[in-house]
């Protein structure tokens, strides 16, 4: 079959060249359209149900909102997990679905179920935006000197947000800070008493005096006149002039007689600071899942430029401070630099070994052509293109087939030239040689692709990280094989003659002479080599505990995301003072470019946080300007500086890392320990106990438990017996509490296209203390005004600040990050100590989660699939050689590739991560490939009649150059990735290091132990 393909290509050379050019053009077009991400999106399909229940404590939010929604969502198709958070005034239920789910179908299913949920009338559950943990692509703030913050926020909500959301690919624009504008009716209770009115009367009057109505139409001559009754409120004065009632003399009582009407901000749920500015308005642009961030950002920036130049009032500007384009640019630069340097090194090795520039150039052509072929399939199949999938492309794997073919053709052409063969004869000889080499080439590539089989079986997080890499490499290798069997023979046919003849190569000659002596010694005493190799393998395996394990190395995003948990009962004003001091401390570091602070949560409820949650986005200057050699050292210095603030719990992370960790496990931290149970007090006690244990273990940092209690509450317990004596209902008392203390929107006022609430509430001085609230009166049916203190028990106590749930049970989480230690050994020690010291009652359970859980799941799957993959490789080898002995011989050589890989990890201090494990999987395929090349040649010589010893010697020596070249180009092709320190290089470094180290030991043993084993087997 391959003979016919190559023969056809040599007969139709022009057609092959045209097809290759067409492939290049389509590949370039596909590459231009390819959405490149810095990191893969690892989040499963998920849907958030956000329900705001203003003024309600977490206990009521859980009972009345969260539990009914959770109950109804059970049993959704492909549902994997239900998590929820209930805090003051907010419920967020997160539904995670498995890999088989589809985003829009899952959202539709959730919407249908929500229709059946019975919730309080004043609540309305909404779905969160269709975005992911890596969806934050752009952040900006408003710069508006002299403009009130509420007006800045109004511009953000009604002008900027809708303009940016118009861009295709934008899921949402989250506004944060500044305060939502509202018209406030601040009622004086003493004036109400004078006029014998209640706050409910004020509310009802305002509600009834803001409407427009249609009266149909009338005929006026030849015209039809539409009848409109216009009664909408337009200003503060009109609100103040609303009549509430008339006194006994018939004099009207206006709103302005009992209240002050002003424009102000709704009660804050969060505040934003930036550098020296204590209060700014921030916008966060979210990307729709699966869209190209670069293309969307182009549209966003175009809209912002329009707004800055034409769409905003003079003096108001949108100032960006976080742009995903920068990270993408750094990522692409890292990949391009490593690829170009790798390709240059590969070309240098080929020129050194082949001594023919044009022959080396023919081999190099395979690299861009294979990549372009891969880009076509990646774009067609919608495979993620990111730092890991592109950065892990090994040029050695791609050019292996071409190296073997070109080297064999050069040997054949050199012989033909010595015999003065004609061009036609040389072309026929090249066809025969290429056809002979096609079988081992085909099966070598198939073996490497089969070696990637375990990666295709990954699930969830690890699948989303490594499957794109496996697909990309497989597509590139498939392209390499096609190019090597079609275009390469055509190009070689144009160079038949002196351009392809071998010249004297002193380096190769010296290598062959020394290798000949070494091989003679090995074949004479093979058992010594077998023993040394076995000892080396045993020692390398024994060193595994020293290497340590982790899920994935930390990817440097060039920023720090610092989450600080303040004491739970902290007030907004006190939290703001702490935030200002902390921001000033961080800005003192010369490595810091800018600091954004977010206190609390945005008003849309998509991020369930309280006033005790402070988040800092710390943008860093280039590393070459730092005083510290590593980012961990800078983090340690910041941590030490912040220890002057007592009672703070710190968590250092990065923007994308933080969002992804929280989205996957619901906890911000590398290691997450979850305790399940029902009693919040017991959960908190056990969490605090585990926190104390973790802090004693080496490597632990940022250890903290969720604080689910300690929220200060003013509890108004209504006495039913007392209100019954006055003829008052529970609802009458609760309406007064909600309206007088919390405030209630009576209606809305329109300013052009904008809408703002008109809120009724008591003046601040009459509701800002326990005593003032006790004096608030409730009107009885007989007209008496009864103080709240007479109707209820009012006391200050502590309640739940946050109630977390997962899979229909309450749970509390402890998070932990690591510095200077691997995840595997840390978790093993922590699990042992926790099991010894923490004892749980029946109904309570501890679950270890976070990145550790992902690593365990991936390694468990590898432990099963890798042996299956080796069996498939064995079957391919058997099919190739038609011999169980030869197939077993090559498979036996595979474990020895572990030696160099493990030693490389140990020497470089890199932990054994899933990335490194994937490197070992690829390494096994390369080791088998080199074995196939060598054994195929020995078998060919034996079929030609050479004795066993001579066949082993000559076959091994003749394959020294191609085996050495394939190993060197594979190692040098990945060397830039292994040595790179650029942004994002950490992702590919373990993969590259394992292959480079493993190939060193694998190549040496393939050239020495494999011939010895072959000789022993055949004897």
């Amino acid at each position: 079959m391959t003979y016919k393909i190559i023969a056809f290509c040599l007969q139709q050379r022009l057609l092959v060249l045209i097809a290759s050019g067409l492939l290049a053009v389509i590949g370039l077009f596909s590459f231009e359209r390819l959405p490149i991400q810095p990191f893969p999106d690892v989040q499963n399909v998920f849907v958030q149900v956000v329900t705001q229940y203003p003024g309600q404590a977490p206990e009521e939010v859980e009972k009345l909102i969260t539990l009914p929604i959770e109950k109804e969502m059970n049993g959704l198709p492909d549902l994997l997990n239900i998590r929820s958070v209930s805090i003051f005034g907010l419920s967020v239920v997160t539904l995670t679905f498995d890999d088989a789910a589809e985003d829009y179908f899952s959202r539709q299913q959730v919407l249908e179920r929500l229709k059946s949920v019975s919730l309080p009338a004043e609540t309305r559950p909404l779905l969160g935006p269709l975005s992911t943990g890596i969806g934050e692509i752009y952040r900006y703030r408003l710069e508006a000197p002299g403009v009130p913050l509420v007006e800045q926020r109004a511009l953000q909500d009604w002008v900027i947000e809708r303009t940016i959301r118009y861009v295709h690919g934008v899921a949402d624009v989250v506004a944060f800070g500044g305060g939502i504008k509202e018209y406030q009716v601040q009622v004086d209770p003493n004036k109400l008493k004078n006029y014998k009115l209640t706050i409910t009367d004020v509310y009802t009057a305002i509600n009834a005096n803001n409407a427009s109505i249609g009266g149909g139409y009338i005929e006026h001559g030849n015209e039809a006149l539409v009848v409109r009754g216009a009664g909408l409120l337009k200003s503060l004065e009109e609100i103040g002039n609303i009549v509430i009632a008339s006194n006994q003399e018939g004099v009207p009582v206006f709103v302005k007689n009992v209240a002050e009407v002003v424009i102000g901000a709704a009660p804050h749920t969060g505040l934003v600071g930036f550098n020296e500015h204590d209060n700014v308005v921030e916008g966060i642009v979210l990307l729709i899942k699966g869209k190209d961030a670069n293309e969307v950002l182009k549209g966003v920036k175009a809209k912002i430029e329009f707004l800055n130049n034409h769409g905003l009032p003079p003096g108001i500007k949108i100032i960006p401070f976080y742009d995903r384009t920068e990270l993408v640019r750094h990522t692409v630069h890292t990949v391009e630099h490593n690829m170009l340097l790798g390709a240059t090194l590969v070309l240098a090795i080929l020129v050194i070994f082949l001594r023919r520039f044009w022959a080396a150039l023919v081999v190099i052509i395979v690299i861009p052509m294979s990549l372009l072929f891969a880009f076509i399939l990646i774009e067609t199949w919608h495979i993620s293109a990111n730092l890991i999938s592109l950065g892990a492309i090994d040029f050695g794997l791609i050019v292996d087939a071409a190296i073997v073919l070109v080297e064999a053709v050069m040997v054949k052409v050199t012989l033909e030239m010595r015999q003065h063969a004609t061009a036609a004869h040389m072309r026929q000889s090249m066809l025969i040689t290429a056809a002979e080499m096609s079988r081992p080439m085909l099966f070598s590539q198939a073996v490497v692709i089969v070696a990637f089989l375990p990666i295709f079986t990954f699930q969830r997080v690890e699948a989303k990280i490594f499957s794109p890499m496996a697909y990309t490499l497989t597509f590139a290798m498939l392209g390499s094989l096609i190019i090597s069997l079609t275009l390469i023979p055509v190009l070689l046919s144009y160079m038949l003659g002196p351009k392809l003849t071998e010249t004297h190569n002193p380096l190769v000659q010296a290598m062959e002479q020394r290798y000949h002596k070494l091989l003679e010694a090995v074949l004479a005493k093979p058992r010594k080599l077998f023993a040394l190799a076995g000892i080396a393998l045993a020692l390398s395996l024994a060193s595994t505990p020293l290497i340590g394990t982790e899920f994935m190395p930390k990817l440097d995003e060039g920023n720090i995301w610092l989450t600080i948990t303040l004491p739970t009962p902290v007030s907004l004003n006190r939290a703001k003072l702490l935030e200002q001091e902390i921001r000033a401390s961080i800005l003192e570091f010369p490595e810091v470019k800018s600091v954004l602070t977010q206190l609390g949560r945005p008003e849309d409820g998509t991020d369930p946080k309280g006033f005790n949650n402070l988040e800092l986005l710390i943008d860093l200057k280039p590393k070459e300007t730092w005083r510290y050699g590593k980012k961990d050292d800078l983090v340690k210095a910041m941590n030490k500086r912040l220890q002057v603030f007592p009672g703070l719990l710190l968590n250092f992370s990065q923007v994308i890392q933080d969002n992804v960790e929280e989205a996957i496990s619901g906890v911000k931290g590398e290691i997450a320990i979850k305790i399940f149970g029902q009693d919040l007090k017991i959960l908190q006690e056990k969490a605090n106990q585990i926190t104390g244990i973790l802090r004693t273990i080496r490597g632990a940092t940022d250890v903290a438990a969720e604080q689910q209690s300690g929220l200060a509450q003013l509890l108004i317990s209504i006495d039913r017996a007392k209100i019954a004596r006055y003829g008052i209902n529970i609802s009458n008392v609760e309406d007064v509490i909600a309206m007088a203390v919390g405030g209630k929107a009576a209606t809305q006022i329109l300013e052009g296209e904008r809408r703002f609430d008109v809120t009724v509430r008591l003046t601040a001085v009459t509701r800002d203390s326990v005593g003032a609230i006790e004096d608030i009166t409730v009107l009885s049916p007989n007209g008496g005004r009864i103080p709240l203190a007479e109707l209820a028990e009012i006391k200050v106590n502590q309640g739940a600040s946050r109630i977390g749930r997962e899979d229909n049970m309450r749970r509390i989480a402890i998070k932990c990050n690591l510095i200077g230690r691997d995840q595997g050994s840390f978790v093993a020690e922590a699990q042992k100590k926790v099991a010894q010291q923490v004892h749980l009652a029946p109904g309570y359970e501890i679950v270890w989660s976070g990145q550790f859980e992902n690593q365990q799941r991936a390694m468990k799957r590898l432990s099963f699939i890798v042996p299956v993959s080796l069996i498939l490789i064995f079957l391919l080898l058997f099919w190739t050689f038609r011999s169980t002995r030869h197939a077993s011989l090559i498979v036996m050589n595979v474990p020895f590739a572990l030696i160099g890989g493990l030693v490389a990890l140990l020497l470089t201090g890199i932990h054994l991560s899933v990335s490194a494990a994937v490197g070992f999987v690829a390494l096994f395929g390369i080791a088998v490939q080199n074995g196939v090349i060598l054994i195929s040649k020995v078998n060919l010589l034996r079929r030609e009649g050479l004795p066993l010893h001579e066949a082993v010697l000559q076959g091994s020596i003749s394959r020294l150059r191609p085996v050495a070249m394939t190993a060197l180009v594979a190692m040098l092709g990945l060397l830039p990735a292994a040595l790179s320190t650029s942004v994002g290089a950490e992702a590919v470094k373990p993969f590259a290091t394992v292959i480079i180290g493993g190939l060193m030991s694998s190549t040496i043993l393939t050239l020495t132990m494999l011939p010895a084993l072959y000789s022993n087997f055949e004897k």
Side-chain angles (χ1 to χ4, degrees):
M1 181 67 181
T2 54
Y3 179 89
K4 293 181 180 178
I5 292 173
I6 297 171
F8 174 81
C9 291
L10 290 175
Q11 291 169 1
Q12 305 292 335
R13 293 188 295 180
L14 183 60
L15 179 63
V16 172
L17 292 175
I18 293 173
S20 300
L22 187 62
L23 171 68
V25 171
I26 297 174
L28 286 171
F29 181 71
S30 297
F31 178 72
E32 289 295 325
R33 296 176 55 188
L34 205 60
I36 298 178
Q37 304 171 348
F39 311 122
D41 185 357
V42 300
Q43 199 166 348
N44 279 52
V45 172
F46 79 102
V47 181
Q48 270 191 337
V49 181
V50 180
T51 312
Q52 305 222 41
Y53 197 11
Q56 297 294 327
E59 293 90 342
E60 275 64 47
V61 172
E62 181 194 32
K63 292 175 187 175
L64 301 177
I65 306 293
T66 304
L67 287 175
I69 292 176
E70 283 189 5
K71 179 177 178 294
E72 195 63 38
M73 296 302 155
N74 283 311
L76 279 171
D78 302 315
L79 183 65
L80 194 66
N81 175 267
I82 301 178
R83 290 198 307 268
S84 68
V85 175
S86 302
I87 63 171
F88 176 68
L90 176 66
S91 164
V92 178
V93 179
T94 303
L95 309 160
T96 304
F97 298 83
D98 64 22
D99 295 334
E102 193 274 330
D103 287 287
Y104 292 99
F105 176 77
S106 299
R107 293 172 72 87
Q108 182 61 38
Q109 291 294 303
V110 172
L111 283 172
E112 290 179 7
R113 292 286 184 96
L114 281 176
K115 295 177 182 177
S116 305
V117 181
S118 177
L119 298 175
E122 61 269 35
T123 62
R124 186 164 67 97
L126 300 172
L127 298 191
L130 180 56
S131 190
T132 66
I134 65 171
E136 290 185 6
I137 58 173
Y138 199 78
R139 288 175 180 254
Y140 60 87
R141 64 181 179 88
L142 295 189
E143 188 176 87
V147 179
L149 284 167
V150 291
E151 295 298 338
Q152 293 184 38
R153 178 60 186 267
L155 276 173
Q156 162 61 31
D157 291 340
W158 295 99
V159 178
I160 299 172
E161 178 182 334
R162 68 180 185 180
T163 302
I164 295 177
R165 288 185 67 171
Y166 187 76
V167 176
H168 180 68
V170 171
D172 197 7
V173 180
V174 179
F176 203 162
I180 295 178
K181 179 179 177 180
E182 63 179 16
Y183 288 73
Q184 298 176 343
V185 180
Q186 300 175 355
V187 181
D188 187 332
N190 295 320
K191 292 180 179 180
L192 287 177
K193 186 184 293 185
N194 293 338
Y195 287 104
K196 298 181 180 180
L197 297 172
T198 65
I199 194 171
T200 305
D201 295 330
V202 179
Y203 176 89
T204 304
I206 295 173
N207 182 262
N209 280 273
N210 185 35
S212 289
I213 195 168
Y217 71 93
I218 62 171
E219 293 189 5
H220 182 68
N222 294 328
E223 295 180 335
L225 300 181
V226 175
V227 179
R228 292 177 57 202
L232 292 176
L233 294 170
K234 299 182 181 66
S235 65
L236 294 172
E237 289 74 21
E238 290 189 1
I239 298 172
N241 289 327
I242 292 174
V243 176
I244 304 172
S246 299
N247 60 18
Q248 294 178 348
E249 291 78 21
V251 178
V253 180
F254 299 101
V255 168
K256 64 185 177 183
N257 297 138
V258 298
E260 183 181 4
V261 184
V262 297
I263 292 176
H268 290 285
T269 60
L271 297 171
V272 178
F274 183 80
N275 287 351
E276 70 279 5
H277 304 287
D278 292 333
N279 204 338
V280 299
V281 176
E282 176 194 13
I284 306 169
V285 181
L286 302 181
L287 179 74
I288 291 178
K289 182 178 181 181
K291 297 297 182 181
D292 184 354
N294 282 339
E295 291 300 315
V296 175
L297 280 170
K298 288 178 184 177
V300 169
K301 291 175 182 178
K303 290 294 184 183
I304 288 177
E305 184 179 3
F306 165 77
L307 287 168
N308 279 334
N309 294 331
H310 309 290
L312 297 177
I316 299 178
K317 294 293 182 183
I318 299 172
I319 310 297
F321 58 87
Y322 175 79
D323 185 349
R324 178 67 59 78
T325 308
E326 291 299 311
L327 184 57
V328 174
R329 184 174 60 82
H330 285 305
T331 300
V332 172
H333 173 74
T334 298
V335 173
E336 287 179 346
H337 176 267
N338 292 345
M339 281 187 168
L340 288 173
L341 185 55
T344 303
L345 292 173
V346 168
L347 179 61
I349 290 297
L350 292 174
V351 171
I352 290 171
F353 275 88
L354 298 177
R355 302 277 291 191
R356 290 294 183 185
F357 176 77
W358 290 108
L361 199 60
V362 168
V363 175
I364 284 294
I365 285 174
V366 175
I367 294 177
M369 294 298 294
S370 300
L371 290 179
L372 293 172
F373 178 85
F375 292 147
I376 295 172
L377 294 184
I378 290 170
E379 202 259 337
T380 303
W381 287 27
H382 305 291
I383 304 296
S384 171
N386 54 71
L387 174 66
I388 297 176
S389 65
L390 298 179
I393 294 176
D394 186 354
F395 294 150
L397 289 175
I398 293 176
V399 301
D400 272 354
I403 288 175
V404 171
L405 176 59
V406 170
E407 195 269 346
V409 170
M410 286 182 67
V411 171
K412 191 67 175 178
V413 168
T414 302
L415 292 174
E416 296 284 343
M417 287 291 291
R418 290 173 183 171
Q419 298 171 4
H420 306 288
T422 63
H425 188 271
M426 281 193 289
R427 188 176 294 114
Q428 183 64 28
S429 297
M430 186 189 75
L431 171 61
I432 296 171
T433 302
E436 288 177 352
M437 298 308 301
S438 64
R439 184 178 178 85
M441 285 164 50
L442 181 64
F443 282 98
S444 295
Q445 298 290 79
V447 162
V448 176
I449 292 174
V450 169
F452 287 138
L453 180 64
I455 306 173
F456 292 113
T457 66
F458 278 163
Q459 297 175 313
R460 299 179 63 181
V461 177
E462 55 273 24
K464 292 175 174 62
I465 294 175
F466 295 106
S467 291
M469 182 197 74
Y471 278 111
T472 302
L473 276 171
T474 300
F475 292 157
M477 292 183 65
L478 182 61
S480 167
L481 186 61
I482 293 172
I483 297 299
S484 297
L485 293 177
T486 56
L487 179 62
I488 298 303
V490 169
L491 294 177
L492 291 176
S493 69
Y494 285 105
M495 294 187 290
L496 290 175
K499 290 183 180 179
L500 287 182
T501 56
E502 291 188 299
T503 59
H504 177 66
N505 192 328
L507 175 63
V508 174
Q509 185 181 25
M511 288 174 59
E512 288 178 348
Q513 289 174 352
R514 293 185 180 183
Y515 177 55
H516 185 276
K517 293 178 181 179
L518 175 64
L519 195 57
E520 286 279 17
V522 168
L523 293 176
K525 297 181 179 179
R527 292 185 180 179
K528 185 181 292 185
L529 176 63
F530 298 159
L532 289 173
I535 293 171
L537 179 60
L539 289 175
S540 61
L541 292 174
S543 70
T544 304
L546 301 175
I547 297 172
T549 59
E550 63 182 359
F551 176 60
M552 277 289 290
K554 294 180 183 177
L555 309 178
D556 186 6
E557 302 172 27
N559 59 57
I560 294 175
W561 183 265
L562 171 58
T563 302
I564 302 178
T565 304
L566 309 176
T568 303
V570 70
S571 68
L572 179 60
N573 289 333
R574 176 56 185 156
K576 185 60 182 174
L577 291 174
L578 280 171
E579 178 272 326
Q580 292 170 0
E581 295 176 18
I582 292 169
R583 175 158 39 94
S585 295
I586 296 298
L587 280 170
E588 290 175 1
F589 283 86
E591 292 81 7
V592 172
K593 183 179 179 182
S594 65
V595 178
L596 171 93
T597 57
Q598 296 179 169
L599 180 63
R601 63 174 175 86
E603 285 79 6
D604 66 357
T606 52
D607 193 11
K609 305 287 171 36
F611 295 144
N612 68 323
N613 186 83
L614 173 62
E615 296 172 327
L616 290 84
L617 171 55
I618 305 169
D619 195 14
L620 302 175
K621 295 177 182 177
K623 283 186 177 181
E624 53 267 21
T625 66
W626 292 10
R627 298 168 297 167
Y628 303 93
K630 296 189 300 182
K631 192 174 183 180
D632 282 351
D633 296 332
L634 176 60
V635 168
K636 289 178 182 178
M638 289 182 175
N639 197 339
K640 185 178 180 180
R641 175 78 61 87
L642 295 178
Q643 294 306 313
V644 299
F645 301 98
L648 304 185
L649 301 176
L650 309 180
N651 184 73
F652 286 89
S653 185
Q654 301 174 102
V655 175
I656 296 176
Q657 178 187 343
D658 181 83
N659 288 335
V660 169
E661 286 176 350
E662 187 174 23
I664 292 173
S665 65
V667 183
K668 294 188 175 188
E670 297 175 41
I671 309 295
I673 303 100
K674 301 176 181 178
I675 310 175
F676 290 84
Q678 286 301 320
D679 192 299
L680 291 178
K681 184 178 179 181
I682 295 176
L683 290 176
Q684 193 71 62
E685 288 176 354
K686 297 301 180 183
N688 293 340
Q689 185 182 358
I690 293 176
T691 299
I693 295 171
L694 294 181
R695 285 175 176 161
T696 65
I697 301 176
R698 181 181 61 83
T701 185
D702 302 340
V703 181
E706 291 177 345
Q707 296 303 306
Q708 299 205 352
S709 60
L711 180 67
Q713 297 179 348
L714 181 64
L715 183 61
I716 304 174
S717 301
I718 302 172
D719 190 320
R720 293 181 180 274
K722 289 181 179 180
I723 63 172
R725 287 199 295 270
Y726 292 105
I728 299 173
N729 294 320
I730 290 280
S731 61
N732 301 132
V733 181
E734 291 186 337
D735 284 345
V736 170
I737 295 171
M739 193 181 305
V741 182
K744 189 174 182 180
T747 186
Q748 287 186 325
I749 194 168
L750 304 182
E751 292 183 6
E753 298 179 356
R754 308 180 191 181
R755 293 172 176 263
F756 303 103
D757 286 341
V758 180
T759 305
V760 178
R761 195 180 190 191
L762 290 186
T763 56
V765 295
T766 60
R767 54 174 170 79
D768 62 357
S769 66
V770 177
I773 291 175
E774 288 177 337
D775 292 337
I776 294 174
T777 59
V778 180
L779 189 67
S780 68
N782 62 9
R785 293 178 180 273
I786 316 301
L788 271 179
E790 295 292 328
L791 302 174
E793 180 186 4
I794 302 176
K795 63 180 180 179
V796 177
N797 70 355
Q798 286 193 342
S801 62
R802 169 191 176 98
I803 301 176
R805 298 178 59 85
E806 190 165 343
D807 294 334
N808 299 292
M809 287 187 68
R810 284 179 170 178
R811 69 113 174 102
I812 191 171
I814 304 98
K815 58 90 179 175
C816 174
N817 291 327
L818 301 179
I819 289 183
R821 188 167 183 185
D822 67 286
Q823 292 173 1
S825 65
F826 176 86
V827 172
E829 182 179 349
Q831 285 179 328
K832 183 179 179 181
K833 289 188 175 181
V834 169
Q836 291 172 347
Q837 301 177 39
V838 179
H839 305 288
L840 299 178
Y844 291 80
E845 180 188 10
I846 295 177
V847 174
W848 295 76
S849 185
Q851 293 188 22
F852 168 77
E853 180 184 25
N854 301 328
Q855 190 248 359
Q856 291 291 96
R857 184 176 59 247
M859 291 303 183
K860 183 178 180 181
R861 182 159 288 269
L862 283 176
S863 66
F864 171 74
I865 296 297
V866 167
V868 174
S869 178
L870 288 175
I871 292 172
L872 291 176
I873 290 174
F874 175 83
L875 294 175
L876 278 174
L877 292 172
F878 175 75
W879 191 14
T880 303
F881 295 112
R882 301 292 194 270
S883 167
T884 55
R885 289 202 313 275
H886 294 165
S888 302
L889 180 66
I890 295 175
V891 170
M892 284 174 59
N893 198 46
V894 168
F896 293 94
L898 289 169
I899 298 172
L902 292 173
V903 170
L905 291 178
L906 186 63
L907 293 177
T908 56
I910 297 175
H911 298 313
L912 179 58
S913 61
V914 178
S915 177
V918 170
F920 278 114
V921 169
L923 178 62
F924 293 159
I926 300 171
V928 169
Q929 185 183 45
N930 287 338
V932 169
I933 293 173
L934 192 145
I935 298 300
S936 297
K937 183 63 176 181
V938 175
N939 285 341
L940 178 63
L941 293 176
R942 291 194 67 194
R943 285 196 297 270
E944 291 177 356
L946 282 182
L948 174 61
H949 184 75
E950 286 300 315
V952 170
L953 270 178
Q954 289 189 26
S956 300
I957 293 171
S958 67
R959 294 293 89 191
L960 173 63
R961 183 168 66 172
V963 169
M965 275 197 299
T966 54
L968 279 173
V969 296
M971 288 189 287
L972 293 178
L974 285 174
L975 186 62
L979 299 178
S980 177
T981 57
S982 302
V983 173
E986 301 87 353
V988 186
K989 187 169 290 192
F991 175 86
T993 301
V994 162
I995 291 181
I996 292 172
L999 278 176
M1000 289 182 182
S1001 63
S1002 171
T1003 304
I1004 293 171
L1005 293 175
T1006 296
L1007 292 172
T1008 55
M1009 193 169 73
L1010 190 59
L1013 285 171
Y1014 183 94
S1015 182
N1016 276 19
F1017 269 52
E1018 292 301 304
K1019 288 178 180 178

